[in-house]
Short mmCIF file of all heavy atoms in Angstrom, two decimals:
data_model
loop_
_atom_site.label_atom_id
_atom_site.label_comp_id
_atom_site.label_asym_id
_atom_site.label_seq_id
_atom_site.Cartn_x
_atom_site.Cartn_y
_atom_site.Cartn_z
N LEU A 202 12.11 -58.84 4.28
CA LEU A 202 11.67 -58.74 2.88
C LEU A 202 11.84 -60.08 2.17
O LEU A 202 12.94 -60.65 2.18
CB LEU A 202 12.49 -57.68 2.15
CG LEU A 202 12.29 -56.24 2.61
CD1 LEU A 202 13.43 -55.36 2.15
CD2 LEU A 202 10.97 -55.70 2.08
N HIS A 203 10.77 -60.56 1.54
CA HIS A 203 10.81 -61.82 0.80
C HIS A 203 9.95 -61.72 -0.46
O HIS A 203 9.13 -62.59 -0.75
CB HIS A 203 10.35 -62.97 1.68
CG HIS A 203 11.20 -63.16 2.90
ND1 HIS A 203 12.51 -63.59 2.83
CD2 HIS A 203 10.94 -62.94 4.21
CE1 HIS A 203 13.02 -63.63 4.04
NE2 HIS A 203 12.09 -63.25 4.89
N VAL A 204 10.13 -60.64 -1.21
CA VAL A 204 9.39 -60.44 -2.46
C VAL A 204 10.39 -60.39 -3.61
O VAL A 204 11.55 -60.04 -3.42
CB VAL A 204 8.55 -59.14 -2.42
CG1 VAL A 204 7.54 -59.20 -1.29
CG2 VAL A 204 9.43 -57.92 -2.26
N PRO A 205 9.95 -60.74 -4.82
CA PRO A 205 10.85 -60.66 -5.98
C PRO A 205 11.08 -59.22 -6.39
O PRO A 205 10.27 -58.34 -6.07
CB PRO A 205 10.09 -61.43 -7.06
CG PRO A 205 8.64 -61.27 -6.69
CD PRO A 205 8.62 -61.28 -5.18
N LEU A 206 12.19 -58.96 -7.06
CA LEU A 206 12.47 -57.62 -7.56
C LEU A 206 11.87 -57.46 -8.95
O LEU A 206 12.25 -58.13 -9.89
CB LEU A 206 13.98 -57.37 -7.61
CG LEU A 206 14.40 -55.99 -8.10
CD1 LEU A 206 13.86 -54.90 -7.18
CD2 LEU A 206 15.92 -55.91 -8.20
N MET A 207 10.92 -56.56 -9.04
CA MET A 207 10.26 -56.23 -10.30
C MET A 207 10.11 -54.71 -10.34
O MET A 207 10.34 -54.04 -9.32
CB MET A 207 8.88 -56.90 -10.36
CG MET A 207 8.88 -58.40 -10.21
SD MET A 207 7.20 -59.09 -10.27
CE MET A 207 6.53 -58.43 -8.73
N PRO A 208 9.70 -54.15 -11.48
CA PRO A 208 9.49 -52.71 -11.50
C PRO A 208 8.54 -52.24 -10.40
O PRO A 208 8.73 -51.18 -9.81
CB PRO A 208 8.88 -52.48 -12.90
CG PRO A 208 9.47 -53.57 -13.73
CD PRO A 208 9.56 -54.76 -12.83
N GLU A 209 7.52 -53.07 -10.09
CA GLU A 209 6.53 -52.69 -9.08
C GLU A 209 7.09 -52.73 -7.66
O GLU A 209 6.55 -52.08 -6.76
CB GLU A 209 5.31 -53.60 -9.16
CG GLU A 209 4.56 -53.57 -10.48
CD GLU A 209 5.20 -54.43 -11.56
OE1 GLU A 209 6.16 -55.18 -11.24
OE2 GLU A 209 4.77 -54.33 -12.73
N THR A 210 8.16 -53.50 -7.45
CA THR A 210 8.70 -53.63 -6.09
C THR A 210 10.04 -52.92 -5.91
O THR A 210 10.59 -52.92 -4.81
CB THR A 210 8.88 -55.11 -5.72
OG1 THR A 210 9.78 -55.74 -6.65
CG2 THR A 210 7.55 -55.84 -5.73
N THR A 211 10.57 -52.33 -6.97
CA THR A 211 11.82 -51.59 -6.84
C THR A 211 11.65 -50.46 -5.84
O THR A 211 10.70 -49.69 -5.92
CB THR A 211 12.27 -51.03 -8.20
OG1 THR A 211 12.50 -52.12 -9.10
CG2 THR A 211 13.54 -50.20 -8.07
N HIS A 212 12.55 -50.40 -4.87
CA HIS A 212 12.47 -49.42 -3.76
C HIS A 212 11.13 -49.51 -3.06
O HIS A 212 10.50 -48.51 -2.75
CB HIS A 212 12.74 -48.01 -4.27
CG HIS A 212 14.18 -47.76 -4.60
ND1 HIS A 212 14.66 -46.54 -5.04
CD2 HIS A 212 15.27 -48.60 -4.56
CE1 HIS A 212 15.97 -46.64 -5.25
NE2 HIS A 212 16.35 -47.89 -4.97
N LEU A 213 10.72 -50.76 -2.82
CA LEU A 213 9.51 -50.99 -2.03
C LEU A 213 9.62 -50.26 -0.69
O LEU A 213 8.64 -49.71 -0.18
CB LEU A 213 9.34 -52.49 -1.80
CG LEU A 213 8.12 -52.96 -1.01
CD1 LEU A 213 6.84 -52.68 -1.78
CD2 LEU A 213 8.23 -54.44 -0.68
N LEU A 214 10.81 -50.28 -0.14
CA LEU A 214 11.09 -49.47 1.05
C LEU A 214 11.87 -48.24 0.61
O LEU A 214 13.10 -48.23 0.55
CB LEU A 214 11.88 -50.28 2.09
CG LEU A 214 11.16 -51.48 2.71
CD1 LEU A 214 11.96 -52.03 3.88
CD2 LEU A 214 9.75 -51.11 3.17
N ASP A 215 11.13 -47.20 0.25
CA ASP A 215 11.74 -45.95 -0.16
C ASP A 215 11.88 -45.04 1.07
O ASP A 215 11.68 -45.47 2.21
CB ASP A 215 10.93 -45.27 -1.26
CG ASP A 215 9.47 -45.04 -0.87
OD1 ASP A 215 9.14 -45.15 0.34
OD2 ASP A 215 8.66 -44.73 -1.75
N ALA A 216 12.21 -43.78 0.85
CA ALA A 216 12.44 -42.87 1.97
C ALA A 216 11.21 -42.75 2.86
O ALA A 216 11.32 -42.79 4.10
CB ALA A 216 12.84 -41.49 1.43
N ASP A 217 10.03 -42.63 2.27
CA ASP A 217 8.81 -42.50 3.06
C ASP A 217 8.52 -43.76 3.86
O ASP A 217 8.10 -43.69 5.02
CB ASP A 217 7.62 -42.17 2.15
CG ASP A 217 7.70 -40.77 1.57
OD1 ASP A 217 8.41 -39.93 2.15
OD2 ASP A 217 7.07 -40.54 0.52
N ALA A 218 8.73 -44.92 3.23
CA ALA A 218 8.47 -46.19 3.93
C ALA A 218 9.43 -46.37 5.10
O ALA A 218 9.03 -46.82 6.18
CB ALA A 218 8.59 -47.36 2.95
N LEU A 219 10.67 -46.02 4.91
CA LEU A 219 11.66 -46.15 5.98
C LEU A 219 11.33 -45.21 7.14
O LEU A 219 11.47 -45.57 8.31
CB LEU A 219 13.06 -45.86 5.45
CG LEU A 219 13.63 -46.89 4.46
CD1 LEU A 219 14.87 -46.35 3.77
CD2 LEU A 219 13.95 -48.21 5.16
N LYS A 220 10.85 -44.02 6.82
CA LYS A 220 10.47 -43.07 7.87
C LYS A 220 9.25 -43.56 8.65
O LYS A 220 9.06 -43.20 9.82
CB LYS A 220 10.18 -41.70 7.26
CG LYS A 220 11.42 -40.97 6.76
CD LYS A 220 11.08 -39.60 6.23
CE LYS A 220 12.31 -38.91 5.67
NZ LYS A 220 13.36 -38.71 6.69
N ALA A 221 8.43 -44.40 8.01
CA ALA A 221 7.22 -44.91 8.66
C ALA A 221 7.53 -46.02 9.67
O ALA A 221 6.68 -46.37 10.49
CB ALA A 221 6.24 -45.42 7.61
N MET A 222 8.73 -46.56 9.62
CA MET A 222 9.10 -47.64 10.54
C MET A 222 9.41 -47.10 11.93
O MET A 222 9.73 -45.93 12.11
CB MET A 222 10.33 -48.39 9.99
CG MET A 222 10.07 -49.17 8.73
SD MET A 222 11.59 -49.80 7.96
CE MET A 222 12.32 -50.73 9.32
N LYS A 223 9.32 -47.97 12.91
CA LYS A 223 9.70 -47.61 14.27
C LYS A 223 11.18 -47.23 14.32
O LYS A 223 12.00 -47.81 13.61
CB LYS A 223 9.46 -48.78 15.23
CG LYS A 223 8.00 -49.12 15.48
CD LYS A 223 7.91 -50.26 16.50
CE LYS A 223 6.48 -50.58 16.87
NZ LYS A 223 6.40 -51.65 17.91
N ASP A 224 11.51 -46.30 15.21
CA ASP A 224 12.89 -45.87 15.33
C ASP A 224 13.81 -47.01 15.78
O ASP A 224 15.00 -47.03 15.44
CB ASP A 224 13.01 -44.72 16.34
CG ASP A 224 12.46 -43.41 15.80
OD1 ASP A 224 12.27 -43.31 14.57
OD2 ASP A 224 12.22 -42.50 16.60
N ASP A 225 13.25 -47.95 16.55
CA ASP A 225 14.06 -49.05 17.07
C ASP A 225 13.76 -50.38 16.39
O ASP A 225 14.01 -51.45 16.93
CB ASP A 225 13.86 -49.19 18.58
CG ASP A 225 12.43 -49.50 18.96
OD1 ASP A 225 11.54 -49.45 18.08
OD2 ASP A 225 12.18 -49.81 20.15
N ALA A 226 13.23 -50.31 15.17
CA ALA A 226 12.92 -51.53 14.43
C ALA A 226 14.20 -52.20 13.93
O ALA A 226 15.26 -51.57 13.81
CB ALA A 226 12.00 -51.22 13.26
N ILE A 227 14.08 -53.48 13.63
CA ILE A 227 15.14 -54.24 12.96
C ILE A 227 14.68 -54.52 11.54
O ILE A 227 13.54 -54.95 11.32
CB ILE A 227 15.44 -55.56 13.70
CG1 ILE A 227 16.06 -55.28 15.07
CG2 ILE A 227 16.36 -56.46 12.88
CD1 ILE A 227 16.22 -56.52 15.93
N LEU A 228 15.55 -54.27 10.58
CA LEU A 228 15.23 -54.47 9.16
C LEU A 228 16.16 -55.51 8.57
O LEU A 228 17.38 -55.42 8.71
CB LEU A 228 15.38 -53.15 8.40
CG LEU A 228 15.24 -53.21 6.87
CD1 LEU A 228 13.86 -53.71 6.47
CD2 LEU A 228 15.53 -51.85 6.25
#
Side-chain angles (χ1 to χ4, degrees):
L202 293 162
H203 300 292
V204 300
L206 181 62
M207 303 179 292
E209 299 81 8
T210 60
T211 298
H212 287 182
L213 181 67
L214 295 190
D215 56 14
D217 290 338
L219 292 167
K220 289 182 183 299
M222 292 170 55
K223 291 183 176 183
D224 287 344
D225 61 351
I227 292 173
L228 173 61

